[in-house]
Amino acid sequence: MASGHKPLSGGCLCGAVRFTAKPEKAEMDVCHCGMCRKWSGGVFMAVSCGDVTIEDDSQLGSYVSSDWAMRQFCRNCGSSLFWRLREGEGHVAVAFQSFDDTGPFKFLEEIFIDEKPALYAFAGERPRLTGAEVMARFQAQQEGRS
């Protein structure tokens, strides 16, 4: 799925928050960090997107979860929807399960693998990064933008 493709539609469980999002790639990642697990009720399965348009944000709640990120959800049904950098525009991790059609995506990588509880594991081979590796990658990306 190239950046020139049309955005995909999605929404929360109750339908109060509907959106269109343009995936950066046809890939889904999984985060095992403690914050994502508590926020999503499991692992956070996410698709990196550039452009996200929300039809009506009156039911969209936001929670600032760290110095650099916020999490957004439906205030009505509680569905986890978006992980965003607090700097504003740019990268948005959209909840994989919130897309109306999840078929176009492949499972690319797992992050914060060192925080994953031992009682589950996803089958298949893919990159699995520790929290330190993820933060080093994030730091390098931020320095590259300066």
Side-chain angles (χ1 to χ4, degrees):
M1 179 175 307
S3 60
H5 285 246
K6 292 181 183 178
L8 299 175
S9 63
C12 64
L13 178 63
C14 72
V17 179
R18 296 287 305 159
F19 65 86
T20 55
K22 186 179 283 188
E24 293 172 351
K25 299 177 184 171
E27 300 169 347
M28 183 267 306
D29 301 318
V30 167
C31 184
H32 298 283
C33 82
M35 280 194 279
C36 279
R37 287 185 289 112
K38 286 186 179 191
W39 174 55
S40 68
V43 298
F44 184 52
M45 297 178 165
V47 175
S48 293
C49 295
D51 298 327
V52 176
T53 303
I54 300 166
E55 291 176 16
D56 175 2
D57 66 0
S58 64
Q59 291 300 310
L60 186 65
S62 297
Y63 174 71
V64 175
S65 57
S66 68
D67 290 341
W68 63 88
M70 76 167 68
R71 296 160 193 274
Q72 295 183 298
F73 55 92
C74 175
R75 291 181 185 179
N76 188 53
C77 68
S79 294
S80 301
L81 296 170
F82 313 112
W83 179 97
R84 296 177 181 266
L85 291 173
R86 287 183 58 195
E87 298 171 358
E89 298 299 316
H91 175 79
V92 179
V94 177
F96 167 71
Q97 299 293 7
S98 67
F99 282 102
D100 296 332
D101 179 9
T102 57
F105 303 105
K106 66 179 181 177
F107 190 175
L108 180 67
E109 76 179 1
E110 298 177 55
I111 61 173
F112 287 89
I113 196 70
D114 50 326
E115 294 186 34
K116 182 187 78 60
L119 63 94
Y120 70 83
F122 288 106
E125 292 302 316
R126 70 192 51 81
R128 291 176 172 91
L129 305 174
T130 66
E133 291 167 329
V134 171
M135 296 310 287
R137 179 195 286 173
F138 180 70
Q139 177 84 23
Q141 289 172 346
Q142 293 303 311
E143 289 172 359
R145 292 182 188 170
S146 301

